[in-house]
């Protein structure tokens, strides 16, 4: 199975201060990887580096086999940034933000094609925001704004789905909704990398955990090795689950799949 992400001896500094040190990891196609670590461990910087939003000082970093600095097939990647940095003060409707997820798949300034409109409708339906598509994003709750960002990424029909702390500041119902959405993506062969403080409702989907501490990888393996994770980060108990999501888990009407 092909690797979607490859990082070899990656080092990244911001403002002259080292953030990531000697990072080496690979993510295979179809894998679901959770990145865990305390605040300041380098989780979000790792994601920004993978997305080409922060420049690596050294190392070999590749997406789909191409060095990230030369990677242009961004339609293959769906990125969900942290909520507050992405939606504050956006003067746009829900539909407009979600439609922007199609930009990497069509030529700039040309009208949307039927296939683009269908992808936007499908993405809105996936997070059950069809009835709010004409509302301003700034008028939505935090959980609804997060669903807009998820829908924007889904609209691009990505092969790799990268999420930076999608559960931060949202309630349990929205976390369950996200888990169901990602389950459908994984069933279709998608690859997921997600930054989390705890596994929560996503536990049943996770194949592998990457634990960061002080910019270094201190754990890379399956869920279930509580002693290793607790020793480095105090993450609490992380139990291994087969990939599943129980049908009986109740969801609020606002996000039901």
């Amino acid at each position: 199975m092909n690797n979607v992400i490859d990082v070899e001896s990656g080092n990244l500094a911001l403002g002259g201060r080292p953030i990531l040190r000697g990072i080496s990891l690979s993510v295979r196609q179809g894998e679901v990887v959770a990145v865990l670590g305390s605040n300041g461990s380098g989780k979000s910087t790792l994601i920004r580096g993978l997305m080409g939003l922060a420049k690596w000082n050294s190392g070999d970093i590749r997406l789909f086999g191409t060095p990230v600095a030369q990677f242009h097939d961004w339609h293959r990647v769906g990125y969900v940034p942290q909520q507050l940095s992405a939606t504050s003060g956006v003067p746009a409707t829900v539909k407009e933000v979600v439609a922007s997820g199609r930009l990497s798949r069509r030529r700039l300034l040309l009208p949307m094609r039927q296939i683009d409109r269908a992808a936007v409708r499908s993405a809105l339906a996936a997070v059950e925001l069809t009835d709010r598509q004409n509302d301003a994003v700034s008028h939505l709750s935090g959980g609804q704004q997060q669903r807009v960002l998820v829908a924007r990424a889904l609209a691009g029909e990505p092969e790799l789905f990268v999420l930076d702390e999608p559960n931060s500041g949202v309630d349990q119902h929205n976390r369950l909704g996200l888990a169901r959405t990602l389950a459908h993506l994984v069933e279709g062969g998608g690859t997921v990398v997600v930054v989390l403080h705890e596994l929560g409702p996503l536990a049943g989907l996770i194949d592998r955990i990457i634990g960061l501490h002080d910019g270094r990888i201190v754990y890379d393996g399956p869920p279930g090795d509580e002693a290793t994770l607790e020793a480095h980060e105090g993450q609490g108990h992380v139990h291994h689950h087969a990939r599943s999501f129980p049908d009986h888990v109740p969801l609020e009407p606002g996000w039901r799949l």
Side-chain angles (χ1 to χ4, degrees):
M1 192 170 290
N2 296 330
N3 285 347
V4 174
I5 295 172
D6 286 292
V7 179
E8 182 66 33
S9 301
N11 296 283
L12 195 157
L14 297 176
R17 184 170 66 92
I19 304 296
L20 299 176
R21 317 155 193 261
I23 299 294
S24 293
L25 63 92
S26 294
V27 177
R28 298 184 302 275
Q29 180 183 348
E31 198 170 21
V32 182
V33 177
V35 180
L36 301 181
S38 60
N39 291 335
S41 61
K43 303 187 304 297
S44 292
T45 300
L46 173 61
I47 295 303
R48 288 177 59 80
L50 293 175
M51 294 296 95
L53 299 174
K55 185 177 180 180
W56 296 83
N57 297 87
S58 61
D60 185 13
I61 294 83
R62 296 173 180 265
L63 294 177
F64 297 96
T66 301
V68 68
Q70 303 168 20
F71 186 75
H72 300 295
D73 296 332
W74 290 108
H75 63 275
R76 304 179 72 179
V77 182
Y79 173 48
V80 181
Q82 289 188 34
Q83 174 187 328
L84 293 178
S85 63
T87 60
S88 298
V90 176
T93 67
V94 169
K95 184 177 181 180
E96 287 169 341
V97 172
V98 175
S100 70
R102 294 296 297 179
L103 289 176
S104 61
R105 286 190 172 270
R106 62 189 182 92
R107 292 185 179 180
L108 194 62
L109 302 181
L110 290 182
M112 292 185 69
R113 303 161 296 175
Q114 183 175 347
I115 190 173
D116 298 318
R117 291 191 292 271
V120 171
R121 288 195 300 269
S122 177
L124 285 166
V127 299
E128 291 216 346
L129 283 177
T130 301
D131 61 338
R132 304 296 300 272
Q133 64 182 304
N134 295 317
D135 292 355
V137 173
S138 58
H139 294 169
L140 302 183
S141 68
Q144 290 168 333
Q145 288 181 353
Q146 188 67 13
R147 284 152 63 180
V148 172
L149 296 181
V150 171
R152 181 179 67 180
L154 289 173
E157 300 174 301
E159 300 168 48
L160 168 64
F161 209 57
V162 180
L163 306 95
D164 189 358
E165 299 196 24
N167 287 335
S168 178
V170 300
D171 61 23
Q172 180 72 354
H173 295 298
N174 279 295
R175 294 180 183 187
L176 291 168
L178 174 65
R180 287 193 183 277
T181 298
L182 293 182
H184 284 289
L185 189 100
V186 171
E187 288 171 3
T191 305
V192 176
V193 176
V194 55
V195 170
L196 297 168
H197 278 290
E198 59 183 7
L199 300 186
L202 295 178
L205 291 176
I206 303 301
D207 296 312
R208 181 167 140 229
I209 289 173
I210 293 175
L212 286 180
H213 177 68
D214 194 27
R216 301 180 186 275
I217 294 177
V218 295
Y219 178 80
D220 186 347
D225 191 344
E226 295 92 348
T228 299
L229 292 173
E230 288 175 357
H232 288 293
E233 292 294 340
Q235 288 290 340
H237 294 285
V238 180
H239 299 286
H240 176 72
H241 298 268
R243 197 185 261 180
S244 63
F245 198 84
D247 292 333
H248 65 271
V249 175
L251 298 178
E252 67 171 344
W255 195 349
R256 183 178 62 247
L257 296 176

